[in-house]
Amino acid sequence: MNSITLGPLTSANGEIQIPGSKSLSNRILLLATLAKGTTKITNLLDSDDIRHMLNALKEMGVRFSLEDQGQTCVLEGNGGPLSVNQADLFLGNAGTAMRPLTAALCLGQGEFRLHGEPRMHERPIGDLVDSLQALGADIEYQKETNYPPLLIKANGLNGGEVSIKGNISSQFLTALLMSAPLAKSDLRINVDGELVSKPYIDITLHAMKQFGVNVENLDYQAFVIKGNQTYQSPGEIMVEGDASSASYFLAAAAIAGGKIKVHGVGTESVQGDVKFAEVLEKMGAKITYGPTWVAAEKGELNGIDMDMNHIPDAAMTIATTALFAEGPTTIRNIYNWRVKETDRLYAMATELKKLGANVVEGDDYITVEPCSDLQHVAIDTYNDHRIAMCFSLIAFSNTAVTINDPECTSKTFPTYFSLFESISG
Ligand SMILES: O=C(O)C1=C[C@@H](OP(=O)(O)O)[C@@H](O)[C@H](O)C1
Ligand SMILES: C=C(OP(=O)(O)O)C(=O)O
């Protein structure tokens, strides 16, 4: 297995352009496919999760061309559901491909198998399948109930009224929302209980609007969508930078000293993870914003006790930043860290403890105490890109850090370590 050793480093400086958003890239690819007309997508993310979506679309007969090292995609829309009637689709560990495609494939006709990496087969999808079945879909679990692989025998989705659970992943609701305009009649979706990761629903609604579909949002408790619609291509669409990917660079400046300006996300962003900068600011970092950029500078960092359910991905960056603050930090309401690329609550706690920190791993929270005497250890990354990226920040302590399997960042950020090295000194 490869590893990379970083630091010890003392400063983080510079300006960077952050690659395109994973969440927006995969949403836009799917909506462009369902839409009428040709869409030119710019600043598309070039990473594993997007490649899984593109490969699946190709298998499904979608015509597109990639230029500019995969960052520009010109895609011919179907003006309706996908038209191939048989496919076996491998979706890696990309939640933003697996969940939305499960719903979208039900819209057409035919037989489709959806599967992924072993971890994908441990990530739940039952709440989405239950709702799709209630709308007339025929979906079978090929191994374990509630988990991929799935076999879909598609024959369109009915409208009417359906409920969906939102307490494990917002991606289930996102998947239903994106497919709803192509259902046979109007649909009302009722959210059953708590809705986690709510800002991702705003990303979904925003993307749908760019493709000409409005959703009536009844305070995130219910959504009403007209059936039998056709998405319309906006012609050209640019993917904004990835706000979760920006978090590591902003944290680096907040910890290390120096100033980092990240271009591609800012006050105009639709991604909830831009709010990561507000958390850093609350901890004591100096943050400034423009419409399409955010900058961070070091401040005296204090620990924080906060519900971070709204920024589940960027919250992981706070867990390692916490080591450099005064006083403990508690990140709350993050149970679903356990059902992502790995059990992130266990993995973060285990690796932070290896460094010598005092950590409490709760069922749905983590408390991290600062530590001024971290040990040089090799961090296991559990095939989780965010573990690799979060722990790179340890290089700004008094010790070096070794990151095992750094290539796992290819899920969302293949160029991470070269950009990291370009800003750190
Ligand atoms: O809809 C999306 O693009 C995402 C939603 C979030 O997942 P959950 O809703 O499962 O928390 C997030 O963690 C994931 O990286 C991307
Ligand atoms: C949870 C994540 O990915 P996915 O889209 O596969 O859910 C993530 O990128 O942190």
Side-chain angles (χ1 to χ4, degrees), residues 22-23 26 49 93-97 99 120 123 169 171 200 244 248 312-313 316 336 339-341 344 384-386 411-412:
K22 167 198 77 172
S23 295
N26 272 350
D49 277 12
N93 194 9
T96 56
R99 280 77 180 254
M120 181 53 99
R123 297 182 65 187
S169 171
Q171 291 177 5
Y200 286 94
S244 320
Y248 313 105
D313 295 354
M316 291 173 72
N336 81 352
V339 293
K340 299 196 184 238
E341 279 75 339
R344 290 177 163 173
D384 184 343
H385 54 141
R386 297 201 194 283
K411 186 174 191 284
T412 58

Side-chain angles (χ1 to χ4, degrees), residues 119-134:
R119 176 62 182 171
M120 181 53 99
H121 298 173
E122 295 172 356
R123 297 182 65 187
I125 196 162
D127 294 338
L128 173 60
V129 170
D130 287 350
S131 300
L132 292 168
Q133 284 171 336

Side-chain angles (χ1 to χ4, degrees), residues 192-251:
D192 180 3
E194 189 198 352
L195 174 61
V196 296
S197 309
K198 217 182 198 174
Y200 286 94
I201 300 304
D202 295 327
I203 302 181
T204 304
L205 299 179
H206 176 86
M208 289 172 70
K209 199 167 179 186
Q210 287 178 302
F211 282 83
V213 167
N214 284 308
V215 173
E216 196 184 339
N217 175 357
L218 304 169
D219 201 20
Y220 301 90
Q221 302 287 296
F223 298 84
V224 181
I225 309 102
K226 285 208 177 318
N228 266 315
Q229 297 193 67
T230 306
Y231 283 112
Q232 301 295 331
S233 165
E236 188 163 335
I237 189 164
M238 193 187 86
V239 176
E240 61 181 59
D242 193 299
S244 320
S245 299
S247 71
Y248 313 105
F249 297 96
L250 298 175

